[in-house]
Amino acid sequence: NATKFLLVQDYIIFRLTGRYVSDCSISCTTLYCDIVNKTWWDEMLLEIGITREQLPLLCEPGSVIGTLQEGAANELGLSIDTKVVNGGMDQSVGAIGAGNIQPGITSETTGSALTIQVTVENTKIDIHQSIPLYVHSVPNRYLLIPVCPTAGMAFKWFRDQFAAEEIQKAEKLHKDSYDLLTELAASVPPGCDGLIMLPHLMGSFSPLINPEARGSFTGFTLRHTRAHFARAVMEGVAFLLKRNVEYIEKAGISIHEIVSTGGGSRSRLWNQIKANVCKKTICILQNEETALLGNAILAGTASGIFSSIQMGCQNMVKIKEKFTWNEDAERYYLPYQNYCELEKILDGFYKNAYQI
């Protein structure tokens, strides 16, 4: 009996303009959007019992939906002539903000989760259909987006539970507690003297799907310190990134460098660890808030400030620094192999443990 089924973004657009509008980059996450034909998926709608009339109109990201209604304009203190532009799903507009709009470009976000974004031209490039595929916010493009539930959140968990000293010290010195924790981790050699961390604190999804997977520290002895554990978290996330990069490359996609975004990209140590583990150049940007920047580029294109999304990226997306892998990369060969083997062994363990 509902009049409309809307996502949060769609509802905000409705309140601003009075129109029911969505876009495929966000609506593809509903599983009742046909991502090939960019329309609603009739077979699925029939299955779940709703109609196209109960859904918003699908428009391209970056298209002008209309102008502000009088009520919305008054509440916001803006003119009724203000244009309202369709945005996009966070990962897809984040890719735009990272300059990831053409095939051959790869970006990653180490925020609460670890996500990788790979721009592709069609839906069939992954012949095994094992990598999550989304609609890009760039016309005629798609995104492969492996998702790992905990990355920066794993480091935050470690800080909150085991770094009270750094938190207190940071408050006194007016510093960032993560920077102090990173300084601690930098005192430990690559490979953490045999300590390995699996960062699956909320299960695993890409490339290994196991909701029952759990985090693990393995291989510690009496010689290991808190600094080892801090670095092990950073290396564990880097190993997880490499696992997904290898999985993507098996689909026939070459990756030479990776644009790193999100809070994790602020850490020079973490960037260098990722470069050495993956043996790829890691690029960081002047503006790490790539989702906001991507939406700004869409708005700028829609309002005529930029002639195209590509022109917007050329003007707005700037590389701040590049991290290239060095001689320490070889020291990660065995730790990474051990990480993969441990993940494989514990995958079976967790599946059996939670069936008891």
Side-chain angles (χ1 to χ4, degrees), residues 165-177 180 183:
E165 180 181 334
E166 282 70 30
I167 293 173
Q168 293 173 2
K169 187 176 179 181
E171 290 178 354
K172 291 179 180 179
L173 299 176
H174 302 290
K175 289 188 174 182
D176 190 324
S177 57
L180 298 181
E183 289 175 12

Side-chain angles (χ1 to χ4, degrees), residues 93-111:
V93 291
I96 292 176
N100 187 353
I101 61 174
Q102 297 288 348
I105 302 176
T106 300
S107 53
E108 66 92 9
T109 303
T110 301

Side-chain angles (χ1 to χ4, degrees), residues 77-99:
L78 297 172
S79 165
I80 59 173
D81 296 324
T82 303
K83 295 178 181 178
V84 177
V85 178
N86 217 7
M89 191 260 287
D90 58 352
Q91 297 299 320
S92 60
V93 291
I96 292 176

Side-chain angles (χ1 to χ4, degrees), residues 9-26:
Q9 172 181 307
D10 310 339
Y11 180 67
I12 292 173
I13 290 175
F14 166 69
R15 291 297 303 274
L16 294 174
T17 67
R19 296 189 64 199
Y20 295 112
V21 173
S22 189
D23 75 273
C24 286
S25 75
I26 187 68

Side-chain angles (χ1 to χ4, degrees), residues 60-269:
E60 286 284 352
S63 56
V64 178
I65 304 306
T67 54
L68 288 178
Q69 296 186 100
E70 185 175 353
N74 290 337
E75 285 194 50
L76 296 171
L78 297 172
S79 165
I80 59 173
D81 296 324
T82 303
K83 295 178 181 178
V84 177
V85 178
N86 217 7
M89 191 260 287
D90 58 352
Q91 297 299 320
S92 60
V93 291
I96 292 176
N100 187 353
I101 61 174
Q102 297 288 348
I105 302 176
T106 300
S107 53
E108 66 92 9
T109 303
T110 301
S112 296
L114 170 68
T115 60
I116 299 97
Q117 306 89 24
V118 183
T119 298
V120 295
E121 289 184 303
N122 62 73
T123 61
K124 298 181 180 180
I125 193 164
D126 175 21
I127 60 173
H128 301 294
Q129 296 184 344
S130 56
I131 305 172
L133 181 74
Y134 295 77
V135 178
H136 207 318
S137 288
V138 178
N140 304 314
R141 297 285 187 271
Y142 294 89
L143 280 171
L144 296 175
I145 309 181
V147 178
C148 311
T150 50
M153 186 59 70
F155 201 45
K156 181 182 185 300
W157 165 82
F158 183 82
R159 184 203 64 170
D160 293 348
Q161 301 302 323
F162 303 106
E165 180 181 334
E166 282 70 30
I167 293 173
Q168 293 173 2
K169 187 176 179 181
E171 290 178 354
K172 291 179 180 179
L173 299 176
H174 302 290
K175 289 188 174 182
D176 190 324
S177 57
Y178 288 108
D179 291 339
L180 298 181
L181 199 56
T182 300
E183 289 175 12
L184 191 66
S187 66
V188 174
C192 296
D193 294 319
L195 177 62
I196 298 173
M197 193 266 188
L198 299 184
H200 305 316
L201 277 66
M202 292 176 61
S204 62
F205 181 56
S206 295
L208 194 66
I209 300 175
N210 183 1
E212 306 298 344
R214 296 293 181 264
S216 169
F217 286 102
T218 305
F220 55 93
T221 65
L222 292 174
R223 68 181 290 194
H224 286 91
T225 66
R226 204 160 49 93
H228 285 86
F229 284 83
R231 185 179 183 109
V233 175
M234 303 177 86
E235 290 186 350
V237 173
F239 291 151
L240 187 56
L241 174 61
K242 181 178 176 67
R243 283 271 280 131
N244 280 280
V245 166
E246 289 182 340
Y247 210 65
I248 292 166
E249 290 182 323
K250 285 181 180 178
I253 299 170
S254 297
I255 299 175
H256 303 291
E257 64 179 27
I258 302 169
V259 178
S260 183
T261 69
S265 67
R266 300 171 194 163
S267 170
R268 296 181 59 81
L269 175 63

